[in-house]
Amino acid sequence: MNPLRMPFWGVDAAWLFYLLAALAMACLGLGLWEKISLWRQGRRAAPAPSSKQALGPALADVLLGRRIWRGGRIAGLMHLMLLWGFLGLFLGTCAVAVDHYLISFLHGRVYLWFSAGLEACGLLLVLGLMLALARRWLLPVARLERRPDDTLLPLWLLAVACGGFMVEAARLAATAPPWGAWSFVGYGLAGLFPGPEAARELFPWLWWSHALVSLGFIAWLPWSKLAHAIAAPASLYLQGQPLAVLAVAAEEGDLAALGLRHLLHLDACTRCGRCVEACPSARAGEPFSPRDVLHRARRQARLKYSPLYRLPWLRGRRQALLERDRAAGWEDAWYCTTCRACLEVCPVQAAPIEMVRKLRAGLVEQGSAVPPPLMDTLEKLHRYGNPWVAKKGAKAAWAAGRDIPDLSRSGQEADWLYFVGCTTSIDTRAQGIARALSDVFTHCGVSFGTLGKKEPCCGDIARRLGEQGLMEEQIEATRDLLNGRGLTRLVCTSPHCFDTIKKVHPLFLEEGLPLRVLHYSQMLHRLWRQGRLTFDHPMPLKVTFHDPCFLARHNRIVDEPRGLLGAIPGLELVEMAEHGLNALCCGGGGGRMWHEIPGQANLAVRRLEQAAATGAELVVTACPLCLIMLEDARKTGGFEDKFGIIDLSELVARALRLTAAMDEEAV
Ligand code: SF4
Ligand code: SF4
């Protein structure tokens, strides 16, 4: 006997099945059409770039769940079981359709292996679903929510998979084909039926129940969380590609126009909560959740741009929901420190750091819900070119008494432009970094100069605060100055200036001299490797290093500062519990340096608690904002007699015995 498939065995009224299937497919089609229409609008607002190089990593992320494994083995295993189980059954169903309607190939040995393969996929899916439910209900993982659809979705899919096995078991019990054991799960379950007659009688009931549950699932699929299966691969493919600069147009109040990439992020999010677990603001108990920001933005995007909500009978509901969201406001967007910890852990690269920027841009454009101190900072940036003092030309004060060429003047030349940055040149504590660094450069024989009091703001603060127009002005002013003076080699004190000049300036200005930008830790590390920076005096100290977010996570610079620390004889580096790419943010980024909002926690104190646990005598960092935040927290958090805070440049200058820049009494 030739083993083969028996479609519609024991079932009457196949026409009814086709009718229901057509309805389910129509719902599926409608859901997909809505999503694609939305994404197409985003594509018009900001087309996404494409690259072949991004394809390989994206496929590895999707098919092997690379990023999911990073967050835990059980999560990785569960996702692989669900993905491969579901994918296998989907492809199997397509093969059955081809066999039934186009080319018959499912017979003989092919059919037997096909049956065994489908059994394995079904089993994988069932085990994955059980694990998913256990992680929510039996051994709950704190970051996972228990919303109704978080339970309904796995239960429904479980009903589909188990229903399929029971239908198969009833058929095998009724017909007892000699090859039945190849369908090993159904074969095992066939014993549950008292006899062939009972199985034959039950079969149509089981078949129709399975058909209804399965078709219902197909209809629900694009409206459920499973829609991430389409958006997440696209989001992963687009991540890491150059960011398109998006024109900001506040629309209907809150959310600025979104590009394709943003819209894909919104649909890719699986609500896994890893971003919440990693977010320093959420962890500190501030009223902010990156996951919720993304989901409110998703709802707003749908309400505003979905073609379905333009239907006359949905307009009233749309308006009511928009009003509700507007009343809730977006003030929580100001809690974000833009530390990128969420993106580091997000398995689909959807985390809301970019969305927060868009939200802030919308709020600033309207002038609403912007904390007053931030308005003051923006005002200073507009009028005086820095966020600190109402005084133009304050930027050169730190260099008084030093013979540093001012490269903004004609006739002055140097190999490197030292871009000091607003905070380093104006804040009295951070000025120590500029002085120490200029001493170290001079000691190493580096030919460098600054732009003196003409140094413009690089645009980072305006960018982080959502002031797109001002940011563009500042970027243009900086680039004009650099081009006019033929300056192409820059070394920055602040990781924030470094990040903005390196990544954002080229997006806005296609023309101009090609820039080579370094953070000073990279420059000093290079000098040390070239033998131009040597440490001859032992420094018996136990130190820990606080990685600035814009150095580590945003630019992957973690080894250079540690290399320098390791080069100082006698210095012992002890790491904090969270360091490198996982370092906890001190709370100085994202404009938080300049404002306080209700419920705001002192994130720097939390960071220093981790530092205190290492027993280090000194906390070293490499960013003026981190330095100020940590220095403040040392005083307010009661760490004054435990350790000192110092910038890496100051430590290097001290190790070279160039300066006593370190706060002596703090050590
Ligand atoms: S943004 Fe990413 S990390 Fe956060 S809930 Fe969504 S998928 Fe998870
Ligand atoms: S960038 Fe940092 S502060 Fe902002 S949402 Fe992500 S983890 Fe939270």
Side-chain angles (χ1 to χ4, degrees), residues 143 265 268-276 290-291 294-295 342-343 345-352:
R143 66 178 159 82
H265 287 172
C269 173
T270 59
R271 294 194 71 101
C272 71
R274 289 178 196 214
C275 54
V276 183
R291 172 170 58 192
L294 216 54
H295 276 266
C342 49
L343 206 54
V345 295
C346 176
V348 292
Q349 292 296 283

Side-chain angles (χ1 to χ4, degrees), residues 520-540:
Y520 83 77
S521 61
Q522 293 176 297
M523 177 96 155
L524 295 189
H525 188 253
R526 243 173 238 197
L527 291 169
W528 169 67
R529 288 186 53 188
Q530 290 164 357
R532 293 169 67 188
L533 174 61
T534 50
F535 299 100
D536 300 324
H537 310 291
M539 205 175 194

